[in-house]
Amino acid sequence: MSSRIPGMRDLSISERRAVVAETAGIDVAELAAFDAGGFDGEAANQLSENVLGTFALPVGVAANLTVNGADVLVPMVTEEASVIAAASNGARIARVLGGFHTSSTGPIMQAQIQLVDVVDPHAARLRLLEARAELVELAAAQDPKLAEVGGGVRDLLVRTVGFEDQTYLVAHLVVDVRDAMGANAVNTMAEAVADRVAEIAGGRVVLRILTNKADMRLARARAVLDAEALGGPLVVDDMVHAYKLAAGDPYRAATHNKGIMNGISAVVLATGNDTRAVEAGAHSHAVGSAGRYTALSTFEKDADGNLVATLELPMPVGLVGGATKTHPGARAAVALTGVSSAAELAELITAVGLAQNIAALRVLASEGVQRGHMSLHAKNIAIAAGAGPDEVGPVVARLIADKAFGYDNAAAVLAELRRGR
Ligand code: NAD
């Protein structure tokens, strides 16, 4: 299968569904899960609280992605125009020299158990480590299903954390959560061992909860970008300059990383995963070893003058648990990707984040974002100015022709259009 589908933007939704289903090798009926937001009020009532209904966002598909030699179509849910076009664009450039190469650590999550009032924290730390086997066994007993699928508790770590006048002892349960995101799984374990941990350490337990700094669950993506496909050697050099500003300056790093998360959050959401968990993990990871917020990705020039991009970050996503199995839209999105493990999904999402980053950096280091972005955003401006369905097209065409995307111009163009009718 090829994820290269020229002309996809000109198709109707039903034509696009047919092409996408055929390309991905799934039944087009599966994509009906994307009708009217994917599920009805009753299903929504089960998923959250005090439910009033559902709140739909567009789900689209990014094209052109090649990951580890295989093409893949990627579902993305986003309210922001130009995100899906940019991801497809970055993927198109990357595929010239083979697309994305990915890897990941195991799906390891950690839960923290905070102890206060420990009189001898350093000795208590060693007492807990001496009891490692007992505590690991007690935690593991909470989730036989996890052991059955090859996961389970792998280790116990104990740290001391000092702040102001306090020294806290913090025990970490290190758990292989396989195809789950794992928050509930590890929280249950942390609560179950807390009393015994307090007994051994001789203090009192306060917090028992996972850490979203999932730095034992990293996913990585890398791509070599052809200098000519990027626009020439000057664009390569300027993309490196753009990266180095992000690496050195938190003001730029925040926006650089936001661009990465444009792609990542859209796939995380489409697959029913927890966007806040992934975002918290990403931004905590962006505080590098220097203790300063920096870029999540890197860009460097290789010996042939091509640009090499890399991205590594925590990617706690699952295929079981949470909304991943209960939201029909999420199930259809996962089916579209064809992934069969949480690790595979995590790597795919990381590749999309890097594709997004490549596209943003290329356009920023050359023509600037506004021309492309505003052309795609013009529809929203036209609608906000009051254009009806049959007026949006002509208003957008005029905004693009005028290169003037202000609301005032949209309102003036709309008034002129109506006067002419
Ligand atoms: P879950 O408890 O619904 O599912 C996980 C369980 O599924 C495992 O414990 C295991 O018993 C079972 N399972 C069956 N097949 C499995 C397989 N192949 N691999 C792994 N487990 C398998 O969900 P979860 O993943 O533990 O928790 C995710 C949810 O927790 C998300 O909805 C997230 O939003 C929420 N949450 C997040 C936070 C946070 O990030 N801080 C805190 C609390 C809850």
Side-chain angles (χ1 to χ4, degrees), residues 204-379:
R204 190 168 62 82
V205 166
V206 180
L207 302 182
R208 297 143 293 164
I209 180 98
L210 85 155
T211 170
N212 285 108
K213 184 173 167 57
D215 57 3
M216 292 185 173
R217 193 178 195 176
L218 302 178
R220 314 174 191 102
R222 152 183 90 77
V224 181
L225 310 165
D226 180 72
E228 284 315 306
L230 286 169
L234 184 61
V235 178
V236 170
D237 287 344
D238 286 352
M239 286 176 75
V240 173
H241 282 309
Y243 152 68
K244 285 186 177 172
L245 180 60
D249 176 14
Y251 284 95
R252 174 59 209 151
T255 316
H256 181 97
N257 292 341
K258 192 274 183 182
I260 294 171
M261 300 313 287
N262 274 341
I264 287 178
S265 296
V267 192
V268 171
L269 190 55
T271 55
N273 276 290
D274 185 334
T275 50
R276 290 83 56 213
V278 172
E279 283 157 12
H283 294 294
S284 65
H285 198 69
V287 178
S289 48
R292 182 175 55 71
Y293 188 85
T294 187
L296 283 164
S297 60
T298 67
F299 286 79
E300 60 200 344
K301 201 154 66 162
D302 73 6
D304 300 322
N306 294 319
L307 190 62
V308 187
T310 75
L311 175 63
E312 179 178 57
L313 78 171
M315 194 50 67
V317 291
L319 291 179
V320 300
T324 55
K325 281 274 192 282
T326 50
H327 193 301
R331 285 204 305 272
V334 170
L336 192 57
T337 65
V339 299
S340 54
S341 69
E344 219 184 314
L345 178 63
E347 293 180 24
L348 172 60
I349 292 172
T350 307
V352 175
L354 190 55
Q356 200 78 49
N357 192 208
I358 289 163
L361 229 56
R362 194 194 69 79
V363 82
L364 281 169
S366 49
E367 68 198 48
V369 284
Q370 283 310 72
R371 192 168 66 89
H373 181 81
M374 292 312 281
S375 302
L376 293 170
H377 185 60
K379 262 195 275 189

Side-chain angles (χ1 to χ4, degrees), residues 4-373:
R4 188 104 181 80
I5 308 178
M8 187 151 61
R9 59 184 296 176
D10 302 321
L11 303 177
S12 68
I13 290 177
S14 65
E15 289 168 337
R16 201 175 290 130
R17 281 190 188 184
V19 172
V20 162
E22 196 192 339
T23 307
I26 60 171
D27 190 337
V28 72
E30 280 209 58
L31 300 182
F34 296 142
D35 286 340
F39 64 167
D40 59 26
E42 237 352 274
N45 209 15
Q46 306 302 319
L47 208 63
S48 185
E49 306 79 38
N50 299 349
V51 168
L52 299 175
T54 57
F55 183 103
L57 286 171
V59 54
V61 64
N64 305 331
L65 208 79
T66 301
V67 180
N68 300 328
D71 274 21
V72 60
L73 290 173
V74 189
M76 300 176 79
V77 171
T78 178
E79 88 297 346
E80 188 176 355
S82 83
V83 164
I84 295 176
S88 306
N89 192 17
R92 188 175 50 76
I93 295 167
R95 71 188 282 126
V96 173
L97 292 179
F100 295 89
H101 303 275
T102 65
S103 62
S104 53
T105 61
I108 303 288
M109 297 297 283
Q110 299 181 66
Q112 296 189 293
I113 301 151
Q114 177 197 21
L115 287 148
V116 300
D117 302 336
V118 178
V119 292
D120 54 349
H122 299 288
R125 176 172 169 269
L126 296 202
R127 287 198 298 278
L128 285 169
L129 290 173
E130 286 155 26
R132 176 184 174 280
E134 177 198 341
L135 292 168
V136 163
E137 193 182 330
L138 182 58
Q142 311 308 312
D143 202 336
K145 178 70 197 171
L146 193 57
E148 208 180 285
V149 297
V153 187
R154 298 289 182 250
D155 208 354
L156 174 83
L157 309 175
V158 189
R159 304 161 55 232
T160 52
V161 178
F163 188 67
E164 294 185 339
D165 58 336
Q166 294 291 327
T167 299
Y168 299 119
L169 207 55
V170 184
H172 285 218
L173 286 174
V174 179
V175 186
D176 182 331
V177 297
R178 290 287 94 198
D179 288 328
M181 179 269 176
N184 293 324
V186 303
N187 289 348
T188 304
M189 291 175 179
E191 292 197 359
V193 301
D195 287 350
R196 185 68 186 125
V197 166
E199 209 170 83
I200 296 167
R204 190 168 62 82
V205 166
V206 180
L207 302 182
R208 297 143 293 164
I209 180 98
L210 85 155
T211 170
N212 285 108
K213 184 173 167 57
D215 57 3
M216 292 185 173
R217 193 178 195 176
L218 302 178
R220 314 174 191 102
R222 152 183 90 77
V224 181
L225 310 165
D226 180 72
E228 284 315 306
L230 286 169
L234 184 61
V235 178
V236 170
D237 287 344
D238 286 352
M239 286 176 75
V240 173
H241 282 309
Y243 152 68
K244 285 186 177 172
L245 180 60
D249 176 14
Y251 284 95
R252 174 59 209 151
T255 316
H256 181 97
N257 292 341
K258 192 274 183 182
I260 294 171
M261 300 313 287
N262 274 341
I264 287 178
S265 296
V267 192
V268 171
L269 190 55
T271 55
N273 276 290
D274 185 334
T275 50
R276 290 83 56 213
V278 172
E279 283 157 12
H283 294 294
S284 65
H285 198 69
V287 178
S289 48
R292 182 175 55 71
Y293 188 85
T294 187
L296 283 164
S297 60
T298 67
F299 286 79
E300 60 200 344
K301 201 154 66 162
D302 73 6
D304 300 322
N306 294 319
L307 190 62
V308 187
T310 75
L311 175 63
E312 179 178 57
L313 78 171
M315 194 50 67
V317 291
L319 291 179
V320 300
T324 55
K325 281 274 192 282
T326 50
H327 193 301
R331 285 204 305 272
V334 170
L336 192 57
T337 65
V339 299
S340 54
S341 69
E344 219 184 314
L345 178 63
E347 293 180 24
L348 172 60
I349 292 172
T350 307
V352 175
L354 190 55
Q356 200 78 49
N357 192 208
I358 289 163
L361 229 56
R362 194 194 69 79
V363 82
L364 281 169
S366 49
E367 68 198 48
V369 284
Q370 283 310 72
R371 192 168 66 89
H373 181 81

